[in-house]
Amino acid sequence: MAAGMILIAVLFVISRWQSRTGRVYLKNLTLRSEGEGFDSVWLQDEFQKQWAAGTGKGDGDGDGQERGDTFAAWTQCRKETVQASGGGGNSIVDITAVYGSTGCVFPVGADVTASDPNGCILGRRLAEELFGSGRAIGEKLVWRGQEWTVREIVERPSELCILQVSEMKDKPDFDRISVALSEGTDRRRAGEEFLLRHGLAGQLLRWDYLYELGWLEEMIPSSWSDFDSWKENFREHGRALRLVRTTERSAVEETGLTFQRRGRILMICGILLTAAGLVAIGRSHAKKGKAG
């Protein structure tokens, strides 16, 4: 019995750790362009404002509130060839090309900012394939004829390749924007306000809809008797849920969701074992009662 209780406790602790880790990977809000990509001229102008401010924030709006947003534009370049500089190893991987702070896209690694235009972050397995060792910080890799210097090696995603492309000659089209959010921020409101403030056509990728029940609070209209608002809120949730289920995921997003899935599985196992234990205890007491 004691061993069973210890096992259940361990399952719940690991489940909680898995879920928390998953939330860290997915803590920022990502928006997907409704077109082929976000306007490059607008992006350049916005990032120049950020970098000129020196804090990643834009100018104030005159009433004590900051109008600026800390965000990064990025895209996933699938099945690209990267090679260790100097003729070393090469590999075909998915490249996450980031324009702006990489911390907005990958919040668990080093923040390679635009002031480090040739910096990159690699997963350990990819580093070993390219350089023969996971200790590759300072090494250089080549992608599309340009060099990047490795700033950090991470354990997961193991084949991660994030490149800072702020000064890349021929930048790809950026179809995603990740906005840094503080803990407890209303994601729906933050996303809608960001799009409205910048005049962008985009969709919110609500990964949290796949693993949290907090969305139920978003369904509640200002007036409980407003049935039309109830219906529209649930319709909007359904559309957002279909979007995140069908949209292409980056390595970072998939890693965060994998942690969440593991956390749920372990939580369910813990609940089932607890229920089985309670049933066994009940039966044991029943037998003792009949014997008495």
Side-chain angles (χ1 to χ4, degrees):
M1 182 61 69
M5 293 178 65
I6 293 174
L7 175 60
I8 291 171
V10 169
L11 286 175
F12 280 120
V13 170
I14 297 177
S15 168
R16 189 173 180 80
W17 174 79
Q18 293 274 339
S19 297
R20 284 181 174 177
T21 303
R23 288 193 192 96
V24 173
Y25 278 85
L26 301 168
K27 73 174 186 177
N28 292 331
L29 178 65
T30 297
L31 311 169
R32 190 181 76 172
S33 171
E34 290 187 349
E36 294 182 355
F38 293 103
D39 183 73
S40 59
V41 175
W42 171 80
L43 285 171
Q44 184 174 357
D45 182 59
E46 286 299 316
F47 286 128
Q48 285 178 346
K49 291 178 183 177
Q50 284 191 18
W51 302 331
T55 61
K57 292 288 185 181
D59 298 327
D61 61 6
D63 61 0
Q65 299 295 320
E66 289 181 311
R67 294 179 54 195
D69 301 283
T70 302
F71 70 93
W74 59 282
T75 192
Q76 194 87 341
C77 302
R78 301 287 182 181
K79 306 301 180 182
E80 295 277 325
T81 300
V82 293
Q83 184 175 12
S85 182
N90 62 78
S91 183
I92 298 177
V93 297
D94 294 337
I95 302 289
T96 302
V98 181
Y99 186 12
S101 169
T102 64
C104 293
V105 182
F106 185 53
V108 295
D111 187 4
V112 182
T113 65
S115 61
D116 185 8
N118 300 112
C120 68
I121 303 172
L122 298 184
R124 186 168 298 279
R125 183 183 299 173
L126 178 58
E128 291 173 350
E129 290 179 5
L130 293 176
F131 305 106
S133 170
R135 298 180 178 179
I137 294 178
E139 298 286 355
K140 297 183 183 298
L141 63 83
V142 179
W143 176 58
R144 295 189 180 182
Q146 293 185 232
E147 280 192 341
W148 276 266
T149 302
V150 180
R151 300 303 184 199
E152 185 177 9
I153 305 295
V154 298
E155 294 297 331
R156 58 180 71 87
S158 61
E159 295 187 353
L160 179 70
C161 187
I162 292 183
L163 305 183
Q164 173 60 252
V165 299
S166 59
E167 293 187 11
M168 189 176 181
K169 295 178 182 177
D170 297 315
K171 295 183 180 66
D173 292 327
F174 299 103
D175 60 352
R176 305 278 183 99
I177 285 178
S178 287
V179 186
L181 298 181
S182 57
E183 190 70 27
T185 301
D186 185 326
R187 303 176 77 86
R188 179 179 176 182
R189 181 178 177 182
E192 290 173 349
E193 289 182 349
F194 182 93
L195 293 173
L196 181 63
R197 182 161 55 250
H198 297 288
L200 300 175
Q203 301 165 310
L204 281 64
L205 295 180
R206 295 297 303 273
W207 302 113
D208 55 307
Y209 282 174
L210 296 176
Y211 57 84
E212 289 185 348
L213 295 177
W215 61 269
L216 288 170
E217 186 176 348
E218 296 181 6
M219 300 300 101
I220 302 174
S222 56
S223 174
W224 282 75
S225 59
D226 188 351
F227 297 108
D228 288 337
S229 292
W230 279 100
K231 290 179 182 178
E232 180 55 34
N233 287 343
F234 275 100
R235 287 196 193 100
E236 184 178 339
H237 172 263
R239 289 191 291 267
L241 194 58
R242 287 192 294 273
L243 178 64
V244 294
R245 283 175 173 169
T246 57
T247 196
E248 196 172 45
R249 300 169 184 173
S250 70
V252 175
E253 291 161 345
E254 188 59 52
T255 298
L257 292 173
T258 297
F259 273 110
Q260 289 293 336
R261 284 193 293 269
R262 291 173 181 169
R264 289 198 304 273
I265 291 172
L266 290 173
M267 178 66 72
I268 291 171
C269 289
I271 292 172
L272 291 176
L273 285 175
T274 300
L278 292 174
V279 170
I281 291 172
R283 288 177 178 176
S284 176
H285 285 315
K287 287 181 180 180
K288 289 180 179 179
K290 288 180 181 179

